[in-house]
Amino acid sequence: MSMTQRRLLPSTAALAAFDCVARLGSFSAAADELSLTQGAISRQIAILEEQLGVRLFHRNGRGVVLTETGKTYAEGVAEVVRKIRLLSLEAMSNSAGNRLSLAILPTFGTRWLMPRIPDFVAKNPKIIINFATRIRRFDFDAEEIDAAIHIGQPDWPGADCQFLMHEDVIPVASPDFLARNPVVRPEDMINLPRVEMASRPGAWEHWFGSLGVDIKSSGGMRFEQFSNVAQACIAGLGVALMPVFLIEAELASGQLVTAYDHRVRSQSAYYLVRPLAKVSYPPVKAFSDWLIGQVRTFEAERQH
């Protein structure tokens, strides 16, 4: 290795010390966090500055402050140190090739997927799943996620979208709300407060349109999660369109009741989204095959 190449590859000890001092603004605080002496931290920083040929810190009586060059260097080094720690953890666990990072929708994940996950774990004991909650699209590479369950359309750039299922929605409200605001025909709901999902602003127009009723968006209360929409309705704040299979418990308990018995297929559907580079990744493939099987069983049960 040439002298220039060696200068461009500082030791991990020096980088770890620099990252710690940059975050904490103090040699003594960095020494405590890394279980080293203050002198050892000081030597590592001096070695790094000599190797790079630049000043990274301004020293003063109250501690140290990053130079402009130091600030730029610290931003990159922090990410490098984080990545090295993550890779080391995966190597130590000897299971990097058996991890599945999965993004799930909050309510769908809690109510539909999680009760079924023990079956996947039992059939794939070597695969370790890391769950992340995501409501909207994201960058798979930046988030380091292998697959996602998505509600919407099959138009995620650079990814394979595997159709899972449709959903049917019905208008629901609390019994007390309907007692105060009786609904005999769909037009009775036009002037009622309507609770909406932020990600589905056209859902009510679609539902009314299926009955030949033309309305405009109510501009009412909106939430990002169906669980919050359900709670708002239970609290008597209005009527909402909810996927039937996600509120079975509330309907069974009587906390929510159907405001008008007319089901409509949602314009959005559920998809398993996989980056093209991860479609053949063994944990993703195993999960995909298992999930499709679960969906088929669920759909068959819904037909009865």
Side-chain angles (χ1 to χ4, degrees):
M1 183 181 289
S2 69
M3 182 65 70
T4 300
Q5 287 177 314
R6 282 196 293 272
R7 286 187 64 192
L8 295 177
L9 286 175
S11 71
T12 53
L15 291 178
F18 170 74
D19 174 62
C20 201
V21 175
R23 283 188 290 105
L24 301 176
S26 163
F27 281 11
S28 60
D32 289 340
E33 181 169 308
L34 296 177
S35 299
L36 297 172
T37 65
Q38 187 172 336
I41 295 294
S42 181
R43 285 193 296 274
Q44 290 293 344
I45 298 302
I47 290 171
L48 182 60
E49 289 182 323
E50 182 179 355
Q51 185 173 358
L52 297 177
V54 297
R55 180 66 64 85
L56 298 172
F57 293 101
H58 293 300
R59 278 75 168 173
N60 56 46
R62 296 184 301 275
V64 291
V65 179
L66 286 164
T67 63
E68 289 303 312
T69 299
K71 290 178 183 177
T72 302
Y73 196 58
E75 291 177 0
V77 167
E79 177 60 23
V80 169
V81 171
R82 187 195 70 81
K83 187 67 174 179
I84 290 174
R85 285 174 176 153
L86 178 62
L87 291 172
S88 299
L89 180 62
E90 291 181 343
M92 290 168 65
S93 67
N94 197 31
S95 60
N98 288 322
R99 289 188 178 274
L100 172 65
S101 294
L102 180 68
I104 60 175
L105 298 162
T107 308
F108 181 90
T110 301
R111 300 203 172 192
W112 191 90
L113 183 63
M114 285 304 166
R116 294 169 170 81
I117 283 294
D119 181 73
F120 176 79
V121 173
K123 293 175 179 176
N124 301 272
K126 293 184 178 181
I127 296 178
I128 300 172
I129 307 179
N130 298 325
F131 292 99
T133 299
R134 297 291 183 276
I135 297 174
R136 295 184 174 85
R137 290 184 183 179
F138 55 87
D139 185 324
F140 278 101
D141 290 336
E143 302 269 357
E144 297 181 344
I145 288 177
D146 302 313
I149 294 178
H150 166 65
I151 180 75
Q153 303 300 320
D155 54 2
W156 198 307
D160 173 81
C161 297
Q162 172 70 56
F163 172 77
L164 296 177
M165 67 179 79
H166 290 291
E167 65 175 15
D168 294 333
V169 297
I170 57 172
V172 296
S174 71
D176 289 343
F177 179 86
L178 286 181
R180 298 191 309 270
N181 304 277
V183 174
V184 177
R185 53 199 186 103
E187 287 83 357
D188 293 334
M189 288 189 289
I190 291 178
N191 294 318
L192 295 182
R194 298 195 294 273
V195 185
E196 300 181 352
M197 277 286 291
S199 61
R200 307 184 192 186
W204 274 110
E205 289 92 327
H206 178 63
W207 186 85
F208 276 107
S210 70
L211 291 166
V213 179
D214 185 25
I215 68 159
K216 292 185 178 180
S217 178
S218 65
M221 191 177 297
R222 290 188 176 184
F223 295 94
E224 286 196 337
Q225 297 185 23
F226 271 127
S227 58
N228 297 133
V229 173
Q231 288 304 312
C233 286
I234 291 171
L237 295 177
V239 59
L241 284 175
M242 296 286 290
V244 180
F245 79 102
L246 292 181
I247 54 167
E248 291 176 342
E250 287 83 357
L251 291 173
S253 68
Q255 290 178 294
L256 293 175
V257 294
T258 303
Y260 188 81
D261 193 11
H262 177 65
R263 299 189 181 193
V264 171
R265 176 147 292 178
S266 174
Q267 294 173 298
S268 300
Y270 291 90
Y271 295 88
L272 175 64
V273 183
R274 301 165 293 180
L276 296 178
K278 290 295 182 75
V279 171
S280 59
Y281 176 50
V284 170
K285 188 176 187 309
F287 181 77
S288 301
D289 293 343
W290 171 84
L291 184 59
I292 295 303
Q294 292 293 312
V295 169
R296 287 174 180 164
T297 299
F298 175 67
E299 293 289 9
E301 292 172 349
R302 283 209 289 186
Q303 300 302 319
H304 295 88

